[in-house]
Every structure is written in C-alpha cells, then in structure tokens.
Amino acid sequence: MHFNFPFTALSILWTLTFAAHLVLLVVLLGRDRVRQFPWFTANIVLVALRLLTSRLLFGRLPQMTLAEIFVIMAAVGAFVSLMVVIEVARRAFGGVPRASWILGALVLMAAGAAVLRYWGAWPPWATLRSAPPLQMVQLIAQKGMLLADVENIGVGLLIALFGRRAGAGFKSKAQQVAIGLMTASISQLGIQAIWERIAATTVPHSQQEYEHVLGLRDKLFNTNNAVYIAVLIWWIVCLWIDPPKAQSEEEPVPEAISGSVLKIPLPVAHRAAEETAVVEDGALHGRELPRGREEDRE
C-alpha cells in the first residue's frame, strides 16, 4: 500500500522556515526585543519577505523583472546583515576599552578582506566597468553576504571566548543571537564550499550522472535549510525567556557595640540627656562637628 504524499522536502522546509520567521517576529515584538536588536529584527522581516516573494511571484512575472527584484532584495539583505554584525558586537562589547574594540574590529576586517580576496573569482576591472548595473549589484550582494557570514563567525567566536569578561555571558541575549548567527554562517559557508568543490571536480558523462549531481546539490541545500530552521528555533526559545533579574542588595545589618548589644536609635523626644549633650558638643560617632568661636557661643 502506497500513500500519496504530495508535499516535497523543499515545500516542507519552506513552510517550516516561513512559519518560524513569523513566530520569531511575534517573540521579538511581544518580548520587546526590537529595541535591543532593531537591525536583527529588520533582517528577519526582510528574509521572511524574500521567502514570501519567491513563492508568490515565481512563474508569475517575467524572468528579467523577477531577477531584478531578487537581486535588489539580496543587496539590501547584505547591507542589513552587516549592520546586524555591528549591532551584536556593540551589544556584547560595548563596555570594553576603545583600544580593544578597535583592535578586534581591525582583526575581523582583515579576516573578511582575506576571504573576499581568495574565495571566488573577481571579474576583471574592464568587465566591471562595462557590465550592466544589475550585474554590479549582484556582485555586491554576493560579496556582501560572504563578508557578513565571515564576520558573523568571527564575532561569534569572540563573544563565546571573551563575552563573559565583557558582561555578555551565555545567558545574555547578545551571545545567544551571536551563536545563532555563527551557526547559520558556518553551515552556509560549509555547504557552499562543498558544493563548489563537487561542481569543480565532477564531470557527468550521462544524463543519469547529471541528475545524480543535481540531487546531491538539493540534499546539501536542504541540509543547510534544516540547520537554519534549528537556528530559528534556538532564537525563538532564547529570546522568549527573560534573563534572570539581578538580586537586590541586602539591607545592612546594624553594627554591634558593647559586645552583643545593638545600637538602636531612640526617638528624638526620648533621647537620653547624655546623648543630647554629646550631640550638642559635636562629637557624635566620633566625628567632630564644626564649632564656632568661643565669643559666638557665649
């Protein structure tokens, strides 16, 4: 007996991803996390919009128009992703000295520049100058997302290693968001590197081998989507839970004098004559009060 299951793995992953984005937006708004992470919230909205647009507009618009829409949205998404990196880093390391902040930023920028230089081919400058604007925007979007993934990994590692010293421990929202971003970026770059290696070394000699390579590509991309869904669930759980409130300081215990007798202040109207005399003399608790001249007191 065979069951008719009309849903594909891609459609199931798309539904789960879109639903997780909506739930995450509800958590961000309901728990008032938008004030803490405005760029992160904008990024979630933009990704959800891209998912919805791909499902509603694919096959209903001309290919050129659809390509322009997605390329522009990808470029905006790359910019927002870079702003999310800066936002999370400021949340985690806002209290560190300026010299340490500048040093860490320079290290991350150098790592990102190295990856951009050696990962992927750059077209010649003459080709860039004569290329249509859409191709230039597409190149900026691709390199921007690559840079954002590298910076997510770098910032996530720094927060995991030194976040506790800067006041951003494991229970802080900045580190929890950074762990999710780092995990998603590691999965994205890992799957991309594996697929580029397979595409560069595999030469199909038949239609069956070609379909096998395409099926392997789909499995890799579905694995990346599954990891991203797990990251979304991580964010939903962590951002829903409020951080533990700091315990209020205990009230100081009155100092003990004369052995175990506690000094309890008496009402002003019933103070002893000796204590009143001491106050007037200006030597209460061993602290001299300013006195006037003898002529003024007389």
Side-chain angles (χ1 to χ4, degrees), residues 121-136:
W122 285 82
W125 178 248
T127 305
L128 291 178
R129 295 182 59 182
S130 59
L134 186 61
Q135 293 185 4
M136 179 66 69

Side-chain angles (χ1 to χ4, degrees), residues 8-197:
T8 61
L10 184 60
S11 62
I12 294 174
L13 290 173
W14 182 92
T15 303
L16 293 176
T17 305
F18 185 71
H21 277 86
L22 296 182
V23 175
L24 181 56
L25 287 176
V26 172
V27 171
L28 289 170
L29 294 174
R31 287 296 185 178
D32 199 17
R33 312 296 186 198
V34 180
R35 293 190 302 174
Q36 298 177 356
F37 304 101
W39 285 107
F40 177 74
T41 306
N43 187 41
I44 297 300
V45 173
L46 184 59
V47 174
L49 181 61
R50 290 175 62 183
L51 288 171
L52 186 61
T53 304
S54 65
R55 178 54 61 94
L56 295 180
L57 300 183
F58 186 77
R60 293 180 174 85
L61 291 177
Q63 291 293 331
M64 192 61 187
T65 305
L66 194 63
E68 292 178 356
I69 294 175
F70 285 120
V71 167
I72 293 175
M73 294 181 68
V76 175
F79 172 76
V80 175
S81 298
L82 291 174
M83 296 305 298
V84 171
V85 175
I86 298 175
E87 179 180 72
V88 174
R90 290 185 60 185
R91 280 287 175 182
F93 299 112
V96 301
R98 185 179 297 272
S100 301
W101 173 270
I102 295 176
L103 179 61
L106 290 176
V107 171
L108 292 179
M109 290 173 62
V115 173
L116 287 180
R117 172 63 181 83
Y118 296 104
W119 190 326
W122 285 82
W125 178 248
T127 305
L128 291 178
R129 295 182 59 182
S130 59
L134 186 61
Q135 293 185 4
M136 179 66 69
V137 175
Q138 183 178 5
L139 179 63
I140 293 174
Q142 292 177 352
K143 298 301 181 180
M145 290 303 301
L146 177 60
L147 179 60
D149 288 331
V150 175
E151 300 301 329
N152 280 332
I153 296 174
V155 171
L157 290 176
L158 289 178
I159 294 177
L161 294 176
F162 308 106
R164 183 178 296 274
R165 300 179 184 178
F170 180 76
K171 294 183 179 181
S172 65
K173 301 307 174 185
Q175 183 166 151
Q176 293 169 353
V177 172
I179 289 175
L181 292 172
M182 179 179 63
T183 304
S185 296
I186 290 175
S187 175
Q188 174 68 28
L189 294 182
I191 295 298
Q192 182 178 347
I194 293 173
W195 169 243
E196 289 180 359
R197 181 66 178 174

